[in-house]
Amino acid sequence: MYDECATARRCRGRAIRPCYGMFPRPAARRRGGILPSVTQPEPQQGEIRVVYVEDDERLARLTTQYLESHRVGVHLVTRGDRAVAEVLRLRPDVVLLDLMLPGTDGIEVCRQLRARCDVPIIMVTARTEEPDRVIGLEGGADDYVAKPFQSRELLARIRAQARRGRGESGPRAERLEIGALVVDAATMEVTVSGKPVALTTSEFALLHALAQRAGRVLGREQLLQLVHGTADEAFDRSIDVVVSRLRQKIEEDPRTPRLLKTIRGVGYMLTPGER
């Protein structure tokens, strides 16, 4: 038998509080606009990775809990001026981006991201007026969700953007040639006269839908259905914004387009571009 020490006799039968000694007590502390407590480990196969830029902690917490319960790994950033660096570091499948942010507003964050990468961006904001949506889409956003939103709808939009970003948006992998324009659905690559063209996921989705139906006039509502899966929750101007961005990238002179033509009062049509 060993001789029990005095300390052991005092502590016997009592709950012992942990002593951290020289190690820091664990805590979910905010550091530089990033909440490490929601940073996920390496994603499992098939998991969607999201960077969520939101300064409303309660909304961010509830949204994160819902998304994580549906195999979406969330990394939360609470300041706009830290968002770009985190997105470039983590390379997520989708970015959820609020407009009203401390440090740098969401529109500027969107523009900076779009200048440096083609990650799908979903704007999530209480600013629901049409001019605000148009500004966001013109800045490079791929989709727009208004607060308050339904969690199931947000999840569906995240999944849709992730599929497009991974090239999984449709069953057919085809290479379409329309004059000098080549659209490769398998690699999500576009070239004009042999020169590569960098497109966002929403731009590629719209161009691919038009290329599959080259020579046919497609109305805005029809394009919304093809690109977003619904024509009810989007608005017609979003198609006009993406068309404008496409023309800047694929046309020699965007002011007099020869490939992507407007059929006044009806919609848009992709043509081979002969003069």
Side-chain angles (χ1 to χ4, degrees):
M1 294 288 289
Y2 66 90
D3 186 19
E4 187 177 45
C5 69
T7 301
R9 285 195 298 272
R10 286 198 304 270
C11 295
R12 185 165 16 104
R14 293 165 52 191
I16 307 299
R17 297 177 61 187
C19 177
Y20 295 98
M22 63 180 294
F23 300 101
R25 185 181 301 272
R29 293 186 178 180
R30 178 186 296 190
R31 178 175 55 82
I34 303 168
L35 294 183
S37 60
V38 297
T39 303
Q40 299 301 301
E42 287 299 315
Q44 301 176 3
Q45 186 175 6
E47 183 180 73
I48 297 173
R49 300 166 301 168
V50 169
V51 168
Y52 186 14
V53 190
E54 172 63 73
D55 63 332
D56 184 331
E57 293 189 25
R58 182 177 182 275
L59 175 62
R61 184 179 69 255
L62 294 175
T63 303
T64 296
Q65 289 172 353
Y66 179 82
L67 294 177
E68 287 178 342
S69 70
H70 290 79
R71 291 179 54 79
V72 177
V74 179
H75 180 88
L76 181 62
V77 181
T78 60
R79 292 185 58 86
D81 51 6
R82 296 300 301 271
V84 174
E86 288 300 291
V87 171
L88 295 178
R89 181 177 70 87
L90 296 169
R91 298 292 178 180
D93 297 300
V94 178
V95 173
L96 296 182
L97 181 61
D98 189 25
L99 278 183
M100 304 294 290
L101 293 166
T104 304
D105 69 79
I107 295 295
E108 182 57 29
V109 171
C110 185
R111 288 174 179 152
Q112 292 180 21
L113 284 174
R114 192 52 71 224
R116 302 180 68 175
C117 64
D118 60 356
V119 61
I121 300 172
I122 302 176
M123 288 283 191
V124 185
T125 179
R127 290 165 58 174
T128 58
E129 296 299 320
E130 181 176 327
D132 294 321
R133 302 191 207 184
V134 171
I135 290 172
L137 291 164
E138 286 180 337
D142 297 285
D143 202 354
Y144 204 108
V145 178
K147 298 177 183 177
F149 51 79
Q150 295 294 323
S151 298
R152 290 176 61 187
E153 178 190 353
L154 180 64
L155 177 63
R157 290 178 182 270
I158 290 171
R159 287 172 171 168
Q161 291 298 330
R163 286 195 301 270
R164 294 190 182 108
R166 294 172 175 177
E168 303 168 356
S169 56
R172 291 183 292 176
E174 53 193 359
R175 189 173 186 271
L176 303 169
E177 297 186 21
I178 303 92
L181 175 69
V182 177
V183 180
D184 193 328
T187 60
M188 292 189 69
E189 294 178 347
V190 174
T191 61
V192 178
S193 300
K195 298 179 180 179
V197 178
L199 300 181
T200 67
T201 53
S202 60
E203 291 165 357
F204 183 88
L206 180 60
L207 183 62
H208 185 241
L210 287 162
Q212 286 180 310
R213 301 158 182 83
R216 291 169 50 190
V217 181
L218 301 178
R220 291 178 179 84
E221 185 172 316
Q222 186 178 3
L223 287 169
L224 284 168
Q225 186 72 37
L226 290 169
V227 174
H228 293 289
T230 176
D232 298 327
E233 296 173 357
F235 57 102
D236 287 352
R237 284 290 302 278
S238 66
I239 293 296
D240 298 337
V241 169
V242 179
V243 166
S244 177
R245 295 195 328 232
L246 276 173
R247 284 175 172 159
Q248 294 292 327
K249 296 181 178 183
I250 68 173
E251 299 282 2
E252 290 184 11
D253 183 359
R255 294 172 296 181
T256 56
R258 295 191 299 112
L259 291 168
L260 183 44
K261 295 184 177 181
T262 300
I263 308 303
R264 194 174 298 277
V266 183
Y268 297 102
M269 178 174 63
L270 195 65
T271 70
E274 287 89 356
R275 293 188 183 279

